[in-house]
Amino acid sequence: ESYIILGVMLWLSADIYANLLNAYHTTHPDMDRELFIKLRLIAFTLERIQKFSAYMQGLIVTGGDASMLGWIVLGSGFFIDMFISTFFQVRSIRKLLKQEQDSRNGTLNDIEEGEEEREVDTEEEELA
């Protein structure tokens, strides 16, 4: 059944976006973290669109009249992909975003602490 093969090929090739980004990030570890997070979100979105289209093409090609094998592949793949896989990918992206926010807050806290130390030094000099 050719529609299953086409759907599987679309589904498998959807991982290329994240794989290319990870390969680039591995060879360029000094890549800006904020840019990496934005590209990861774009790769995630493109991957989800392509994987969803893989399932939809099966329904469109068969007109909803798929074989038992087709329904098993479509149903199990859709459930695993759209719920379980997506959950873990979203969780990973949220963790990256939180780390980025924490590092920004840490940087801002360091700057504020430095300013407070300068103010204390200035007050001490004035008293002396």
Side-chain angles (χ1 to χ4, degrees):
E1 299 187 29
S2 62
Y3 69 92
I4 293 177
I5 295 170
L6 177 60
V8 168
M9 293 306 296
L10 280 170
W11 188 84
L12 289 173
S13 64
D15 291 330
I16 193 77
Y17 308 111
N19 291 342
L20 287 173
L21 179 60
N22 289 333
Y24 182 82
H25 188 254
T26 301
T27 59
H28 298 84
D30 57 337
M31 180 181 188
D32 180 49
R33 187 169 178 81
E34 189 173 330
L35 175 63
F36 175 71
I37 292 171
K38 287 179 183 177
L39 290 175
R40 180 104 185 250
L41 287 170
I42 291 169
F44 171 75
T45 303
L46 291 173
E47 178 185 347
R48 292 291 107 200
I49 290 169
Q50 186 167 337
K51 286 190 175 188
F52 184 74
S53 69
Y55 296 112
M56 292 308 297
Q57 72 83 29
L59 289 175
I60 292 169
V61 168
T62 63
D65 189 28
S67 67
M68 181 60 75
L69 175 64
W71 284 113
I72 290 171
V73 170
L74 179 67
S76 62
F78 186 80
F79 174 76
I80 291 169
D81 188 48
M82 293 299 163
F83 296 106
I84 297 172
S85 178
T86 301
F87 170 77
F88 286 107
Q89 287 186 8
V90 167
R91 189 171 140 194
S92 173
I93 291 171
R94 289 182 70 189
K95 183 178 177 181
L96 278 174
L97 291 169
K98 185 176 182 332
Q99 288 173 351
E100 178 66 20
Q101 185 179 19
D102 290 347
S103 70
R104 282 186 186 172
N105 289 342
T107 303
L108 289 176
N109 288 339
D110 292 344
I111 292 170
E112 290 172 359
E113 288 174 7
E115 288 176 0
E116 289 175 5
E117 288 176 7
R118 279 189 230 122
E119 290 174 7
V120 168
D121 290 343
T122 306
E123 291 174 2
E124 288 176 359
E125 289 175 2
E126 290 175 358
L127 292 174

